[in-house]
Amino acid sequence: MSPAIPDRRALWVAVGAFVIWGLMPLYWHLLRAVPSLQIVLHRAIWCAVLVAAWLTLRNGRGWLREVLVQPRLAAMLAASGVLIAVNWGLYVWAVNAGHVVEASLGYFINPLLNVLIGVVFLRERLSPPQWCSVLLAACGVLWLTTRYGDFPWIALCLAGSFALYGVLRKFAAVEAVRGLGVENMFVLVPALACLAWIETSGEGGFFSLRWGGWTDALLVAGGALTAIPLIFFAYAVRRVPLSVVGVLQYIGPTLQLLLGVFFFGEYFGADRAIGFGFIWVGLAVFATDGVLAARRRIVAQQA
């Protein structure tokens, strides 16, 4: 159970994880000369290598076998690996195609979509403030669709794939970093095969240094950039109340939105501001209700 009073170091570790996720568009922008598919393939491969090495040093060579001997768990992690790979691919493409603002919208919507999934599939019950927050967010998405002229498919696909990933990981009884390692093992072989085909067909540039040694180093380091915040998050979530984590998670999409507008120069006119406004108000209602509910539980436990 998470402690009532957050561990200060764990709190800063959680903040660090969300700041890294929020600033990631700057990193992928450095790789804009590389096709998005190849960025994702390298990201999956090097993340798998680095996480596997770390788990082997920490737990020995049996960490993968211990999961694979459980067919149901292995199947769930294979599915979650595919989902996170799709999420990564769409996110990297969105950043390098000039859709950073819409990508940030996806991660604003994600917590509320998690709530809806809990209601529909897990038979969870919502409080009146939570229903209000979901309806406000739905109004925001509807406004963005009808007034801005484009259906926010990038945002909804990012939110949907990550929400489904979260559901699978919720029921996969495995420690977070080990789960990440197993997921990446399932993705590793297809990623290697696809990248090998691209390189041998002359469309790649990693081994030929066509993009330069600096870009190759950035592609390798992208694996660490994927793994480090997930490890930070896994450490912090066991030591910080989930209500606090729920509020901190908005650091990431907020930074992404600010980068999209002020660094990448994406359009953010009145129509988008109104749509995002509905969603932000919904998130504020949702976060406030979560904090108040957590405080009531603490008071009840101390009584």
Side-chain angles (χ1 to χ4, degrees), residues 139-170:
C139 288
V141 173
L142 183 62
W143 175 272
L144 289 169
T145 302
T146 58
R147 299 289 295 182
Y148 187 60
D150 293 324
F151 185 76
W153 67 270
I154 295 173
L156 293 177
C157 287
L158 284 172
S161 58
F162 201 73
L164 292 174
Y165 170 79
V167 170
L168 285 172
R169 289 305 305 271
K170 177 180 176 65

Side-chain angles (χ1 to χ4, degrees), residues 22-23 25-26 100-102 104-105 108 250-266 268 276 280:
L23 297 179
L26 294 175
V100 177
V101 170
E102 189 173 342
S104 74
L105 174 61
F108 277 118
Y250 299 117
I251 293 173
T254 299
L255 289 174
Q256 291 173 24
L257 174 63
L258 293 174
L259 285 175
V261 175
F262 296 107
F263 182 82
F264 294 100
E266 294 185 20
F268 193 77
F276 270 80
W280 287 331

Side-chain angles (χ1 to χ4, degrees), residues 182-261:
V182 176
E183 287 173 351
N184 279 283
M185 288 297 104
F186 282 114
V187 176
L188 178 61
V189 173
L192 281 171
C194 186
L195 189 61
W197 181 81
I198 290 173
E199 290 287 342
T200 55
S201 66
E203 297 297 321
F206 184 79
F207 293 105
S208 65
L209 297 178
R210 187 177 66 173
W211 302 311
W214 172 244
T215 298
D216 280 10
L218 288 175
L219 286 169
V220 175
L225 190 64
T226 298
I228 288 172
L230 285 167
I231 293 171
F232 281 8
F233 180 79
Y235 171 86
V237 78
R238 296 176 63 86
R239 297 166 176 83
V240 177
L242 291 179
S243 59
V244 176
V245 174
V247 175
L248 291 178
Q249 71 179 327
Y250 299 117
I251 293 173
T254 299
L255 289 174
Q256 291 173 24
L257 174 63
L258 293 174
L259 285 175
V261 175

Side-chain angles (χ1 to χ4, degrees), residues 2 31 34 50 58 82 95-96 121 126 170-171 187 196 200 252 263-264 275 283 298 301:
S2 299
L31 293 167
V34 182
L50 293 170
R58 192 185 70 170
V82 171
V95 168
N96 287 341
F121 296 103
L126 298 186
K170 177 180 176 65
F171 292 103
V187 176
T200 55
F263 182 82
F264 294 100
L283 291 174
I298 292 171
Q301 290 171 359

Side-chain angles (χ1 to χ4, degrees), residues 1 36 88 131 200 208 215 234 254 292:
M1 180 179 294
S36 296
W88 285 352
W131 275 118
T200 55
S208 65
T215 298
T254 299
L292 293 176

